[in-house]
């Protein structure tokens, strides 16, 4: 694409069943904000939009747990998230929400157009239904055994153990999370987007068209999905929370959240354009607009395959030019977990480190998981602040301010003749905007920020080499020149730091009294202006840009995490409550016997599964067991085990499993065989 007329920049809609944490910031919102701020500084027309994703099953689950309505849940977290983003300096042009009237109207109209043009497949399918609750069960309201890996707590749409997607009806021994009962199958009508019909187009558009300009993690995941073969995907669900399906015969059904959420970008743009008195359509329908989606890796398929297929089906929308998705950020060596409170929440950080938004922005950018998962540690956070922001950036600015005030009462001095060192420093300085811009345009934000810090290093080296505190006693003209050059470097830092450190940039511009009304602060002014600060210009007196973070502050944060870890361990160690009472006849149906493992081998391409041959005394049968992470095949051959022998056979990865080995688990998560330890107990002995 030639230079775009405008930029539509979207950031993944945060889900409103909880606040925002540093993983969200590093993966999506900080890089998106850097890019949007940079494009504005280039003088480009930008619409940077986002909003709260307020539909879907997790919202209703949280509402049930807390005894409130779904609307109360989303109102609470929408307010927290919106304020956190605003306080943190994420410069959205509009932050909307999917419960807004304009979004309901936009999503309904989008669905209706595709429906009327015959772009959907209408099918009657069997879904899981909770008879006691009187409702169909959405994917996250069902748990059961994964048909691929045997994990017993798999959700209805995806197994969190092996990552496989599946339907709720594929689960073995499914259980309703509402009543705890086993659901029945019941027919219901739904509408599907036939992704298979767009497969050849997606191959051409992504696999050929974006092979060289999309990030390898994004391209690789798309290729894997397309190569595996695309299948129709439901766009409606049997729920009472969401956008009602706007067609006859769809009572009690809503748009599936993955269908309505990305349309939230469009409705947020509409809402913004109406406030600004602009037309919204050019930002979504003009081929000279560059559309970009900033997301985490868990949203790649939705933004690269499903949403583009929706836009293609509708026919009048442009497609994303790029989807620069990041990987995940871990915390102190462990995966961030909202349920376990293993996270650094943005709203809490803002309370505990007031005025230090840029320190977190800087650290998250320096550790951005751009090509692989990365780790945030509080010790690194402290070191980045103390050794880089304070010692390099802040130190240079402080020295320039103090010396200018001391020598010239805050006035920019008139330089004398430039030396070779002066000219070289100014030449290097003028080259930095293009270097940093190149990294930003290629979505290499870590690299771009490193180059920004190199500007501060350039200034520090220049001052150290020229030593104005010495020449002031012997060469007044030389000192004026050195301080003039140093002030140009300081002004460049004020401008170039804006996308990365917006609060620092604003503070520095204010102190330097650097005009932002006549184009002086535009990105290219660092390269094009003869002087960012002219002789005679008066600067103000500035305080320290950054303050040292002490060990006590870091220790407090580590103790918070340690407290979360202890609570999680206590919860894990808690005795599981007794299950519902059964009758004696129910117990007598179980045929539990002593057996011996006679053969064992790993299941190919399965991390947790072993394929066992077990002598039950009745026969030698195959049992697939999810114990591969606790035992090697060699160490369990010959072990006596307890076997449930009359369990109906189930196919696991193409192998029929004819029973179940009974195990228990220690508080540390170690699996332990439940087996008779008395000599003379033969295979086939029953356990009563």
């Amino acid at each position: 694409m030639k230079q775009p007329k405008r930029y539509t920049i979207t950031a993944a809609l945060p889900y409103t069943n909880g606040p925002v944490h540093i993983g969200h910031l590093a993966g999506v919102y900080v890089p998106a904000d850097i890019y949007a701020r940079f494009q504005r500084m280039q003088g480009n027309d930008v619409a940077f939009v986002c909003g709260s994703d307020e539909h879907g099953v997790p919202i209703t689950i949280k509402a049930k747990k807390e005894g409130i309505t779904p609307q109360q849940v989303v109102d609470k977290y929408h307010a927290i998230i919106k304020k956190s983003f605003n306080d943190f300096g994420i410069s959205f042009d509009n932050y909307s929400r999917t419960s807004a009237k304009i979004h309901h109207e936009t999503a309904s109209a989008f669905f209706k157009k595709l429906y009327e043009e015959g772009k959907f497949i209408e099918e009657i399918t069997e879904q899981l239904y909770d008879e006691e609750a009187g409702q169909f069960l959405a994917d996250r309201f069902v748990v059961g055994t994964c048909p691929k890996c045997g994990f017993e707590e798999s959700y209805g749409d995806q197994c969190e153990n092996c990552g496989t997607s599946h339907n709720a009806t594929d689960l073995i021994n499914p259980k309703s999370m509402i009543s705890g009962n086993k659901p029945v199958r019941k027919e219901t009508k739904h509408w599907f987007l036939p992704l298979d019909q767009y497969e050849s187009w997606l191959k051409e558009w992504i696999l050929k068209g974006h092979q060289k300009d999309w990030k390898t993690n994004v391209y690789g995941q798309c290729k894997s999905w397309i190569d595996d073969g695309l299948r129709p995907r439901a766009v409606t669900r049997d729920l009472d929370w969401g956008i009602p399906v706007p067609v006859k015969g769809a009572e009690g059904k809503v748009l599936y959240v993955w269908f309505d959420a990305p349309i939230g970008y469009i409705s947020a743009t509409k809402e913004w354009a109406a406030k600004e008195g602009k037309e919204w359509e050019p930002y979504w329908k003009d081929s000279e607009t560059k559309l970009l989606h900033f997301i985490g890796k868990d949203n790649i398929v939705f933004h690269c395959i499903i949403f583009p297929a929706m836009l293609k089906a509708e026919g009048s929308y442009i497609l994303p030019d790029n989807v620069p998705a990041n990987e995940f950020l871990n915390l102190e060596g462990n995966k961030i977990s909202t349920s376990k409170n293993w996270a650094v929440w943005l709203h809490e950080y803002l309370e505990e480190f007031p005025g230090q938004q840029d320190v977190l922005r800087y650290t998250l950018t320096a550790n951005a998981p751009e090509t692989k998962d990365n780790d945030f540690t509080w010790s690194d956070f402290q070191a980045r602040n103390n050794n880089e922001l304070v010692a390099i950036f802040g130190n240079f600015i402080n020295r320039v301010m103090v010396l200018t005030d001391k020598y010239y009462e805050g006035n920019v001095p008139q330089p004398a003749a430039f030396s070779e060192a002066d000219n070289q420093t100014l030449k290097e300085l003028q080259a930095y905007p293009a270097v940093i811009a190149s990294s930003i345009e290629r979505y290499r934000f870590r690299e771009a920020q490193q180059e920004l810090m190199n500007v501060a290093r350039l200034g520090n080296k220049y001052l150290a080499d020229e030593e104005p505190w010495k020449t002031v006693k012997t060469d007044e003209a030389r000192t004026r020149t050195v301080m003039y050059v140093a002030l140009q470097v300081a002004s460049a830092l004020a401008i170039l730091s804006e996308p990365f450190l917006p609060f620092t940039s604003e503070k520095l511009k204010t102190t330097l009294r650097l005009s932002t009304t006549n184009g002086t602060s535009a990105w290219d002014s660092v390269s094009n202006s003869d002087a960012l600060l002219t002789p005679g210009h008066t600067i103000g007196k500035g305080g320290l840009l950054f303050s040292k973070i002490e060990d006590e502050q870091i220790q407090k944060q580590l103790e918070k995490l340690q407290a979360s870890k202890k609570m999680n361990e206590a919860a894990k160690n808690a005795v599981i409550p007794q299950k519902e009472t059964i009758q004696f006849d129910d117990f007598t149906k179980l045929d539990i016997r002593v057996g011996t493992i006679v053969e064992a081998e790993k299941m190919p391409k399965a991390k947790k599964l072993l394929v066992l041959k077990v002598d039950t005394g009745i026969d030698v049968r195959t049992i697939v067991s999810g114990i591969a992470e606790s035992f090697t095949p060699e160490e369990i051959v010959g072990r006596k085990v307890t076997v449930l022998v009359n369990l109906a056979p189930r196919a696991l990865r193409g192998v029929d499993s004819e029973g179940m080995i009974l195990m228990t688990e220690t508080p540390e998560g170690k699996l332990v065989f439940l087996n008779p330890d008395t000599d003379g107990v033969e295979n086939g002995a029953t356990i009563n």
Side-chain angles (χ1 to χ4, degrees), residues 507-528:
K507 187 176 180 180
L508 190 47
K509 286 177 192 171
T510 300
T511 303
L512 292 170
R513 293 174 180 160
L514 191 61
S515 173
T516 59
T517 57
N518 59 4
T520 304
S521 67
W523 187 267
D524 291 336
S525 63
V526 176
S527 299
N528 300 336

Side-chain angles (χ1 to χ4, degrees), residues 396-397 400-401 429 485-495 508 512:
F396 170 70
I397 295 298
V400 172
M401 297 296 189
L429 180 65
V485 172
L487 281 161
Q488 304 311 311
V489 178
S491 302
L493 277 170
I495 294 166
L508 190 47
L512 292 170

Side-chain angles (χ1 to χ4, degrees), residues 276-394:
E276 297 293 318
K278 294 185 174 187
E279 293 293 325
W280 72 271
E281 288 192 322
Y283 293 89
W284 281 94
K285 297 187 176 184
D286 188 333
S287 62
E288 293 186 285
T289 296
K290 187 171 185 174
L291 173 62
L292 296 157
H293 298 312
F294 283 84
I295 58 168
K297 68 177 177 182
D298 52 337
N299 271 320
I300 288 173
V301 169
F302 296 104
H303 288 75
C304 297
I305 293 178
I306 298 172
F307 189 40
M310 290 163 56
L311 297 175
K312 180 74 172 174
E314 200 278 345
S316 66
Y317 286 84
I318 58 173
L319 298 169
D321 182 80
N322 212 315
V323 185
N326 274 354
E327 300 292 291
F328 288 155
L329 185 74
N330 296 324
L331 172 60
E332 297 287 349
N334 292 309
K335 184 178 178 181
I336 291 175
S337 171
T338 57
S339 62
K340 294 179 179 178
N341 198 29
W342 190 259
V344 177
W345 304 104
L346 179 54
H347 67 294
E348 290 183 359
Y349 173 88
L350 294 169
E351 292 170 2
E352 294 164 359
F353 291 89
Q356 293 182 291
Q357 296 97 320
D358 282 350
V359 182
L360 185 57
R361 289 178 66 113
Y362 181 81
T363 304
L364 293 177
T365 302
N367 289 321
E370 292 178 348
T371 56
K372 62 179 181 179
D373 290 357
N374 217 335
D375 198 36
F376 175 94
T377 68
W378 281 111
S379 61
D380 180 69
F381 169 82
Q382 181 184 27
R384 296 277 183 191
N385 179 78
N386 295 353
N387 302 339
E388 296 175 26
L389 292 177
V390 173
I392 299 173
F393 195 122

